[in-house]
């Protein structure tokens, strides 16, 4: 007996089950996140910016605004010497540099922070102590911002420790 020779109630039940199965399937309408997060240091209180100067033995406060189209994840700050004039600056303008020199006691600062879940915008602040005994000179201040999907934006700033 094929489906057309069965009673109408059986045929109706069959098509109802098929319709229910098709409409109950969850469609994935979520778009894939392909946008990088944004590090914004254009605010008046943002710090550091390209060519900022910091003083040994004092504390600075890092400030930046982070945004993403879907959700932020985490960020990392890295301060390391640039006594050899290597580059990974992402800024257009260059800063005055001192002559190349060998490090004796350079500053190295690396710190990661998780951004609270569900945030599309986050005002990051972090206090950083600049040791009094580190070598003065040219340094890089690297900001790495990662969104929830894993896209990462890197902002490399040149700063000077006095």
């Amino acid at each position: 007996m094929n489906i057309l020779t069965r009673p109408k109630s059986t045929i109706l039940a069959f098509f109802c089950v098929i319709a229910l199965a098709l409409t109950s399937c969850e469609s994935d309408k979520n778009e894939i996140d392909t946008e990088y997060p944004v590090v914004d240091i254009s605010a008046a209180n943002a710090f550091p910016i390209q060519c900022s100067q910091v003083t040994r033995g004092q504390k600075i406060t890092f400030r930046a605004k982070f945004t993403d189209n879907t959700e932020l994840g985490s960020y990392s700050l890295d301060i390391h010497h640039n006594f050899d004039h290597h580059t990974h600056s992402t800024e257009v303008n260059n800063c005055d540099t001192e002559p190349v020199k060998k490090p004796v006691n350079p500053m190295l600062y690396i710190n990661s922070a998780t951004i609270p879940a569900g945030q599309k915008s986050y005002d990051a602040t972090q206090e950083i102590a600049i040791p009094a005994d580190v070598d003065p000179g040219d340094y890089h201040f690297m900001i790495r911002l990662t969104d929830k999907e894993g896209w990462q934006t890197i902002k490399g700033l040149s700063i000077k420790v006095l």
Side-chain angles (χ1 to χ4, degrees):
M1 190 184 275
N2 70 32
I3 193 150
L4 297 176
T5 60
R6 294 194 184 260
K8 287 183 182 179
S9 61
T10 304
I11 295 172
L12 184 59
F14 173 76
F15 283 113
C16 285
V17 168
I18 295 296
L20 184 62
L22 291 175
T23 59
S24 68
C25 292
E26 184 179 326
S27 65
D28 187 10
K29 292 183 182 178
N30 295 333
E31 293 184 27
I32 297 173
D33 179 13
T34 59
E35 291 185 37
Y36 290 95
V38 175
V39 175
D40 182 1
I41 57 167
S42 66
N45 69 342
F47 190 82
I49 58 172
Q50 180 74 345
C51 304
S52 287
Q53 297 182 348
V54 300
T55 305
R56 295 182 292 169
Q58 295 188 354
K59 291 181 181 180
I60 63 170
T61 302
F62 164 73
R63 287 189 183 92
K65 183 173 194 76
F66 300 148
T67 56
D68 188 60
N69 63 317
T70 58
E71 185 176 353
L72 293 163
S74 63
Y75 70 97
S76 167
L77 303 178
D78 169 347
I79 303 172
H80 62 271
H81 80 81
N82 185 25
F83 300 160
D84 59 359
H85 294 181
H86 69 275
T87 185
H88 31 228
S89 178
T90 58
E91 302 305 288
V92 177
N93 61 320
N94 291 320
C95 307
D96 292 334
T97 56
E98 297 177 4
V100 171
K101 65 180 182 180
K102 287 206 175 274
V104 176
N105 187 28
M107 178 176 179
L108 178 61
Y109 176 86
I110 299 173
N111 191 21
S112 297
T114 301
I115 297 169
Q119 302 295 311
K120 288 185 178 184
S121 179
Y122 184 73
D123 292 318
T125 60
Q126 194 172 122
E127 192 172 84
I128 302 169
I130 308 298
D133 62 345
V134 297
D135 296 340
D138 301 313
Y139 284 79
H140 284 143
F141 192 108
M142 304 294 296
I143 306 164
R144 289 178 177 85
L145 174 62
T146 307
D147 70 12
K148 195 70 171 176
E149 292 296 318
W151 294 105
Q152 185 177 77
T153 296
I154 298 173
K155 184 165 281 293
L157 304 170
S158 295
I159 65 169
K160 192 168 294 286
V161 174
L162 305 174

